[in-house]
């Protein structure tokens, strides 16, 4: 069954109002599968409900990897592993502008060139020659002139690259793994001939090998400062006893199924009332009505059946009297002769 967010909040406030002094932020709701539907909101909780479920899934996955590697070696019930991970759910986007000084490119180029060679041409105000008296025209000196101008502008730019990096969310930031491994029990015979089990711890080389296997299984990273702790500790044997089920009596059966008995008893009583109050009077009325209707004789029913059969059967031509007499004589000549004799006797024609 799926509960909406509104229903979960309703359960939280219902429980908080039922217990004096209990605040909604201190209530956690989980379902029958152990999935957290809501978690307390406070400074001590860094994850939301969905994020916390994601973290637990990662932890169970890493614990399963450790167990699948070591259980075939040490046996079932001889290892306990717990993993805690820190997950980074922050969203990070990074932009980088990278310049490459080894490569350049021309952005713009401008060239200007101007040159002049030869003597300078006469210059002055137009009309000066016409305003001077005759024979007084000035002679201008001719000087050689070389004028050269060249200008070139080139703009260069260093090549650059812009990178935009978006880092994924939900990445594992750090892993903490703790593993307990049981030792080995050897059977020892005492001087009195009795056998007993003696605990023998595992060697340091074996524990070091187990630690390296765990690091490989969980993806240990020294740069992330992951931690792996493994210890060899004797496990305490726990004896589980199965309680004997109590003997069932009629009284206990009635008490345990009282609600079901009442439910089906009410249904049975309702059926009986329907039969007595509705069905029985109805059947009585039907029988009375049939007894009052006129009964038809068997002869009428026979004639009606024959009439119906005639209507349903295809119509045939009716035989003539001659055909009937011929059939009677053929089927029973002696009876036909006796009939004729009797008929002649009745009419007085017999000789």
């Amino acid at each position: 069954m799926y509960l909406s967010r509104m229903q979960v909040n309703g359960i939280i406030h219902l429980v908080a109002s039922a217990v004096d002094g209990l605040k909604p932020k201190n209530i956690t709701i989980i379902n029958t599968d152990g999935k957290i539907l809501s978690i307390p909101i406070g400074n001590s909780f860094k994850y939301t409900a969905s994020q916390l479920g994601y973290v637990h899934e990662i932890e169970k996955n890493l614990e399963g990897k450790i167990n699948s590697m070591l259980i075939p070696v040490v046996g079932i019930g001889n290892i306990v592993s717990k993993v805690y991970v820190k997950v980074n759910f922050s969203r990070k986007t990074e932009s980088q502008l990278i310049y490459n000084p080894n490569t350049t490119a021309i952005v713009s180029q401008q060239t200007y060139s101007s040159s002049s060679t030869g003597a300078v041409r006469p210059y002055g105000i137009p009309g000066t020659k016409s305003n001077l008296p005759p024979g007084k025209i000035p002679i201008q000196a001719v000087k050689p002139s070389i004028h050269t101008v060249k200008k070139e502008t080139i703009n260069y730019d260093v090549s650059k690259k812009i990178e935009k990096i978006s880092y994924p969310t939900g990445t594992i930031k750090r892993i903490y793994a703790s593993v307990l491994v049981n030792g080995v029990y050897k059977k020892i015979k005492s001087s009195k001939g009795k056998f007993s089990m003696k605990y023998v711890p595992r060697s340091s080389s074996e524990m070091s090998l187990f630690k390296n296997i765990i690091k490989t299984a969980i993806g240990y990273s020294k740069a992330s400062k992951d931690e792996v702790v493994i210890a060899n500790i004797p496990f305490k044997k726990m004896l589980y006893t199965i309680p004997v089920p109590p003997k069932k009596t009629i009284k206990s059966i009635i008490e345990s199924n009282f609600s079901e008995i009442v439910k089906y008893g009410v249904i049975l009583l309702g059926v009986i009332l329907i039969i007595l109050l509705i069905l029985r009077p109805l059947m009585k009325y039907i029988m009375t009505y049939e007894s009052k209707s006129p009964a038809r004789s068997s002869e009428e029913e026979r004639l009606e059946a024959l009439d119906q059969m005639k209507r349903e059967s295809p119509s045939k031509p009716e035989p003539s009297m001659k055909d009937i007499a011929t059939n009677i004589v053929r089927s029973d000549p002696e009876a036909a002769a006796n009939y004729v004799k009797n008929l002649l006797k009745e009419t007085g024609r017999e000789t």
Side-chain angles (χ1 to χ4, degrees), residues 200-258:
V200 178
R202 298 183 183 272
S203 62
S204 58
S205 59
E206 191 177 9
M207 296 299 294
S208 178
L209 179 61
F210 288 165
K211 189 172 184 179
N212 293 332
I213 292 173
I214 294 170
K215 287 182 177 180
T216 306
I218 65 174
Y220 175 85
S221 175
K222 190 175 181 180
S224 300
K225 297 181 180 180
D226 296 339
E227 294 185 11
V228 176
V229 178
I230 184 170
N232 183 207
I233 300 175
F235 288 8
K236 185 179 179 181
K237 293 183 178 181
M238 301 180 67
L239 299 177
Y240 297 94
T241 57
I242 302 174
V244 179
K247 188 177 181 180
K248 292 185 178 181
T249 60
I250 297 176
K251 183 179 179 181
S252 62
I253 293 173
I254 294 174
E255 290 177 354
S256 59
N257 302 292
F258 182 74

Side-chain angles (χ1 to χ4, degrees), residues 14 46 54-55 59 96 100 102 146 156-157 173 199 258 282 336 341:
L14 181 64
K46 300 179 181 180
Y54 175 73
V55 171
E59 292 172 349
Q96 294 181 354
N100 188 1
N102 296 325
I146 300 174
Y156 294 91
D157 195 1
K173 190 176 181 181
Y199 174 79
F258 182 74
L282 182 62
K341 287 180 181 181

Side-chain angles (χ1 to χ4, degrees), residues 271-289:
V271 172
I272 294 172
L273 292 176
I274 290 172
I275 294 173
L276 295 177
L277 299 179
I278 298 175
L279 295 181
R280 187 177 179 184
L282 182 62
M283 293 298 294
K284 187 176 180 180
Y285 173 77
I286 293 172
M287 293 175 67
T288 305
Y289 178 79

Side-chain angles (χ1 to χ4, degrees), residues 78-238:
N78 291 323
I79 180 174
V80 178
S81 61
K82 293 296 178 183
V83 177
Y84 170 73
V85 295
K86 285 185 177 180
V87 181
N88 184 13
F89 288 100
S90 60
R91 298 180 180 272
K92 184 179 179 181
T93 303
E94 186 178 278
S95 298
Q96 294 181 354
L97 181 60
I98 302 173
Y99 291 93
N100 188 1
N102 296 325
T103 58
T104 58
I106 298 175
V107 178
S108 63
Q109 183 176 0
Q110 184 179 5
T111 303
Y112 173 77
S113 179
S114 176
S115 63
S116 61
T117 58
V120 179
R121 295 180 180 181
Y123 59 90
I125 302 173
T128 304
K129 183 179 179 180
S130 62
N131 293 328
L132 291 176
K136 297 296 184 181
I137 300 173
I139 300 173
Q140 297 178 357
V142 178
K143 296 181 181 180
S145 177
I146 300 174
H147 180 72
T148 302
V149 177
K150 188 176 182 179
K151 186 178 181 182
E152 185 177 5
T153 304
I154 301 175
N155 294 324
Y156 294 91
D157 195 1
V158 179
S159 64
K160 58 184 178 180
K161 182 174 64 174
I162 299 175
E163 291 183 352
K164 189 175 181 180
I165 304 171
S166 297
Y167 294 94
T169 60
T171 55
I172 298 176
K173 190 176 181 181
R174 197 171 182 183
I175 301 175
Y176 301 88
S178 302
V179 181
L180 296 179
V181 182
N182 194 11
V184 180
Y185 292 88
K186 290 186 178 181
K187 196 173 183 181
I188 299 175
K189 186 177 181 180
S190 62
S191 58
K192 296 181 180 180
K194 294 183 179 181
F195 291 93
S196 61
M197 302 300 293
K198 183 181 179 181
Y199 174 79
V200 178
R202 298 183 183 272
S203 62
S204 58
S205 59
E206 191 177 9
M207 296 299 294
S208 178
L209 179 61
F210 288 165
K211 189 172 184 179
N212 293 332
I213 292 173
I214 294 170
K215 287 182 177 180
T216 306
I218 65 174
Y220 175 85
S221 175
K222 190 175 181 180
S224 300
K225 297 181 180 180
D226 296 339
E227 294 185 11
V228 176
V229 178
I230 184 170
N232 183 207
I233 300 175
F235 288 8
K236 185 179 179 181
K237 293 183 178 181
M238 301 180 67

